[in-house]
Amino acid sequence: MQQGNWKYWFRVWIHPRQTVRHFLKHPGPFWPLVMIALFSGIFQFLDTGADNEWGNHIYSGLILLLAVLVGAPLGIGGLFLSGVLYRWVGSWFGGTATRHQMYIAFARGVLAPSVLIGLLWIPQFVLLGRRSFADTLVYSGGLASGLDLPGGVLMTLSLLFAMIKIVLSIWVFIIMLHAVGEAHQFSAWRALGVSLIIMVAISILVMILVLPFLVIGIIAN
Protein backbone atom coordinates (compact mmCIF):
# COMPACT_ATOMS: atom_id res chain seq x y z
CA MET A 1 0.00 0.00 0.00
CA GLN A 2 1.65 3.19 -1.19
CA GLN A 3 1.40 6.53 0.57
CA GLY A 4 -0.89 9.05 -1.09
CA ASN A 5 -2.69 6.48 -3.25
CA TRP A 6 -6.11 7.87 -4.14
CA LYS A 7 -7.80 4.58 -3.35
CA TYR A 8 -7.54 5.38 0.36
CA TRP A 9 -9.71 8.46 -0.11
CA PHE A 10 -12.52 6.08 -1.08
CA ARG A 11 -11.54 3.04 0.96
CA VAL A 12 -11.95 4.94 4.21
CA TRP A 13 -15.71 5.10 3.58
CA ILE A 14 -15.97 1.32 3.82
CA HIS A 15 -12.93 0.31 5.88
CA PRO A 16 -12.15 3.28 8.16
CA ARG A 17 -10.13 1.39 10.74
CA GLN A 18 -7.94 -0.41 8.23
CA THR A 19 -7.34 2.80 6.29
CA VAL A 20 -6.44 4.85 9.36
CA ARG A 21 -4.27 2.00 10.63
CA HIS A 22 -2.29 2.11 7.38
CA PHE A 23 -1.58 5.82 7.71
CA LEU A 24 -0.68 5.44 11.38
CA LYS A 25 1.89 2.82 10.44
CA HIS A 26 3.11 4.84 7.44
CA PRO A 27 2.64 8.48 8.53
CA GLY A 28 4.65 10.14 5.78
CA PRO A 29 5.14 13.95 5.62
CA PHE A 30 2.88 16.29 7.57
CA TRP A 31 2.06 18.75 4.77
CA PRO A 32 -0.61 16.54 3.09
CA LEU A 33 -2.57 16.62 6.36
CA VAL A 34 -2.41 20.42 6.34
CA MET A 35 -3.59 20.57 2.74
CA ILE A 36 -6.52 18.25 3.50
CA ALA A 37 -7.48 20.47 6.45
CA LEU A 38 -7.14 23.58 4.27
CA PHE A 39 -9.59 22.35 1.64
CA SER A 40 -11.91 20.94 4.28
CA GLY A 41 -12.03 24.38 5.90
CA ILE A 42 -12.90 26.02 2.58
CA PHE A 43 -15.80 23.64 1.95
CA GLN A 44 -17.06 23.91 5.52
CA PHE A 45 -17.08 27.69 5.17
CA LEU A 46 -19.18 27.37 2.01
CA ASP A 47 -21.58 25.05 3.86
CA THR A 48 -21.89 27.63 6.64
CA GLY A 49 -22.63 30.33 4.06
CA ALA A 50 -25.36 28.19 2.52
CA ASP A 51 -26.89 27.28 5.90
CA ASN A 52 -27.04 30.95 6.91
CA GLU A 53 -28.17 32.15 3.45
CA TRP A 54 -25.36 34.66 3.07
CA GLY A 55 -26.23 34.98 -0.60
CA ASN A 56 -29.23 37.10 0.37
CA HIS A 57 -26.84 39.90 1.35
CA ILE A 58 -23.39 39.07 -0.08
CA TYR A 59 -22.27 38.42 -3.65
CA SER A 60 -21.22 34.83 -4.27
CA GLY A 61 -17.77 35.95 -5.46
CA LEU A 62 -17.11 37.52 -2.07
CA ILE A 63 -18.28 34.37 -0.29
CA LEU A 64 -15.85 32.30 -2.35
CA LEU A 65 -13.02 34.73 -1.56
CA LEU A 66 -13.81 34.64 2.16
CA ALA A 67 -13.89 30.85 2.04
CA VAL A 68 -10.26 30.88 0.92
CA LEU A 69 -9.08 33.71 3.17
CA VAL A 70 -11.01 32.70 6.30
CA GLY A 71 -12.17 29.12 5.85
CA ALA A 72 -8.76 27.71 4.90
CA PRO A 73 -6.92 28.87 8.06
CA LEU A 74 -9.90 27.88 10.20
CA GLY A 75 -9.72 24.40 8.70
CA ILE A 76 -6.04 24.10 9.59
CA GLY A 77 -6.70 25.43 13.08
CA GLY A 78 -9.57 22.97 13.46
CA LEU A 79 -7.25 20.06 12.68
CA PHE A 80 -4.82 21.07 15.42
CA LEU A 81 -7.58 21.81 17.95
CA SER A 82 -9.36 18.53 17.23
CA GLY A 83 -6.12 16.61 17.57
CA VAL A 84 -5.40 18.15 20.96
CA LEU A 85 -8.94 17.74 22.34
CA TYR A 86 -9.49 14.18 21.12
CA ARG A 87 -6.09 13.06 22.34
CA TRP A 88 -6.65 14.64 25.76
CA VAL A 89 -10.24 13.53 26.37
CA GLY A 90 -9.55 10.16 24.75
CA SER A 91 -6.84 9.51 27.34
CA TRP A 92 -9.56 9.65 30.02
CA PHE A 93 -11.09 6.58 28.36
CA GLY A 94 -7.79 4.71 28.24
CA GLY A 95 -6.77 5.95 24.79
CA THR A 96 -3.10 5.73 23.80
CA ALA A 97 -2.88 8.00 20.75
CA THR A 98 -0.34 10.81 20.57
CA ARG A 99 -1.28 14.22 19.18
CA HIS A 100 0.44 13.44 15.89
CA GLN A 101 -1.44 10.16 15.59
CA MET A 102 -4.68 11.99 16.23
CA TYR A 103 -3.83 14.55 13.55
CA ILE A 104 -3.37 11.66 11.12
CA ALA A 105 -6.61 9.95 12.18
CA PHE A 106 -8.60 13.16 11.84
CA ALA A 107 -7.11 14.27 8.55
CA ARG A 108 -7.35 10.86 6.89
CA GLY A 109 -10.50 9.59 8.59
CA VAL A 110 -12.62 12.74 8.92
CA LEU A 111 -11.38 15.64 6.84
CA ALA A 112 -10.48 13.66 3.71
CA PRO A 113 -14.05 12.27 3.38
CA SER A 114 -15.34 15.79 4.09
CA VAL A 115 -13.28 17.10 1.18
CA LEU A 116 -14.87 14.55 -1.15
CA ILE A 117 -18.31 15.72 0.00
CA GLY A 118 -17.17 19.29 -0.52
CA LEU A 119 -16.45 18.56 -4.18
CA LEU A 120 -20.22 18.53 -4.64
CA TRP A 121 -19.93 22.32 -4.45
CA ILE A 122 -18.49 22.33 -7.97
CA PRO A 123 -21.61 21.03 -9.77
CA GLN A 124 -23.87 22.80 -7.27
CA PHE A 125 -22.36 26.22 -7.90
CA VAL A 126 -22.17 25.65 -11.66
CA LEU A 127 -25.87 24.77 -11.73
CA LEU A 128 -27.27 27.19 -9.16
CA GLY A 129 -24.78 30.04 -8.84
CA ARG A 130 -25.73 32.50 -6.09
CA ARG A 131 -28.87 30.45 -5.42
CA SER A 132 -26.55 28.04 -3.60
CA PHE A 133 -26.28 30.60 -0.78
CA ALA A 134 -29.71 32.25 -0.95
CA ASP A 135 -33.32 31.42 -0.09
CA THR A 136 -34.91 33.27 -3.00
CA LEU A 137 -35.17 32.41 -6.68
CA VAL A 138 -34.27 35.98 -7.55
CA TYR A 139 -30.67 35.00 -6.92
CA SER A 140 -30.57 31.95 -9.14
CA GLY A 141 -27.70 32.46 -11.56
CA GLY A 142 -25.59 29.57 -12.72
CA LEU A 143 -26.26 27.20 -15.57
CA ALA A 144 -29.81 26.59 -14.35
CA SER A 145 -30.64 30.27 -14.81
CA GLY A 146 -29.16 30.28 -18.28
CA LEU A 147 -31.36 27.33 -19.20
CA ASP A 148 -34.35 29.21 -17.78
CA LEU A 149 -35.37 26.32 -15.55
CA PRO A 150 -38.56 26.82 -13.51
CA GLY A 151 -38.42 27.66 -9.83
CA GLY A 152 -39.64 24.22 -8.81
CA VAL A 153 -36.67 22.59 -10.52
CA LEU A 154 -34.24 24.98 -8.82
CA MET A 155 -35.79 24.21 -5.44
CA THR A 156 -35.58 20.47 -6.12
CA LEU A 157 -31.91 20.75 -7.08
CA SER A 158 -31.14 22.73 -3.92
CA LEU A 159 -32.91 20.16 -1.73
CA LEU A 160 -31.21 17.29 -3.54
CA PHE A 161 -27.72 18.67 -2.90
CA ALA A 162 -28.65 19.38 0.73
CA MET A 163 -30.01 15.88 1.34
CA ILE A 164 -26.98 14.18 -0.23
CA LYS A 165 -24.64 16.24 1.96
CA ILE A 166 -26.66 15.46 5.12
CA VAL A 167 -26.61 11.71 4.48
CA LEU A 168 -22.90 11.67 3.66
CA SER A 169 -22.10 13.86 6.69
CA ILE A 170 -23.81 11.35 8.99
CA TRP A 171 -21.67 8.66 7.38
CA VAL A 172 -18.54 10.75 7.99
CA PHE A 173 -19.47 11.05 11.69
CA ILE A 174 -19.57 7.25 11.91
CA ILE A 175 -16.22 7.06 10.10
CA MET A 176 -14.84 9.57 12.60
CA LEU A 177 -15.79 7.37 15.55
CA HIS A 178 -13.91 4.43 14.04
CA ALA A 179 -10.93 6.62 13.11
CA VAL A 180 -10.63 8.01 16.63
CA GLY A 181 -11.13 4.54 18.06
CA GLU A 182 -8.37 3.11 15.89
CA ALA A 183 -5.92 5.84 16.87
CA HIS A 184 -6.69 5.38 20.58
CA GLN A 185 -6.97 1.59 20.32
CA PHE A 186 -10.48 1.41 21.75
CA SER A 187 -14.03 0.93 20.45
CA ALA A 188 -16.14 3.31 18.40
CA TRP A 189 -18.52 3.47 21.38
CA ARG A 190 -15.78 4.95 23.55
CA ALA A 191 -15.01 7.36 20.73
CA LEU A 192 -18.69 8.38 20.82
CA GLY A 193 -18.35 9.13 24.53
CA VAL A 194 -15.27 11.25 23.82
CA SER A 195 -17.13 13.13 21.08
CA LEU A 196 -20.15 13.81 23.30
CA ILE A 197 -17.98 15.19 26.09
CA ILE A 198 -16.15 17.49 23.69
CA MET A 199 -19.38 18.68 22.01
CA VAL A 200 -21.05 19.39 25.37
CA ALA A 201 -17.98 21.22 26.66
CA ILE A 202 -17.76 23.37 23.53
CA SER A 203 -21.50 24.13 23.70
CA ILE A 204 -21.19 25.23 27.32
CA LEU A 205 -18.17 27.41 26.48
CA VAL A 206 -20.04 29.07 23.62
CA MET A 207 -23.04 29.73 25.90
CA ILE A 208 -20.78 31.30 28.51
CA LEU A 209 -19.20 33.56 25.88
CA VAL A 210 -22.50 34.53 24.26
CA LEU A 211 -24.63 34.92 27.41
CA PRO A 212 -23.24 38.35 28.43
CA PHE A 213 -24.08 39.78 25.00
CA LEU A 214 -27.61 38.36 25.20
CA VAL A 215 -28.09 39.90 28.65
CA ILE A 216 -26.79 43.27 27.43
CA GLY A 217 -29.15 43.09 24.45
CA ILE A 218 -32.14 42.35 26.66
CA ILE A 219 -31.26 45.19 29.04
CA ALA A 220 -30.73 47.60 26.14
CA ASN A 221 -34.16 46.80 24.72
Side-chain angles (χ1 to χ4, degrees), residues 5 27 58 71 74 94 109 114 119 123 173 184 207:
N5 195 313
I58 305 175
L74 285 178
S114 297
L119 292 178
F173 181 75
H184 272 306
M207 289 178 60

Side-chain angles (χ1 to χ4, degrees), residues 42-58:
I42 291 175
F43 291 134
Q44 289 180 20
F45 190 93
L46 294 178
D47 289 335
T48 301
D51 293 339
N52 292 279
E53 299 171 348
W54 291 349
N56 292 342
H57 313 288
I58 305 175

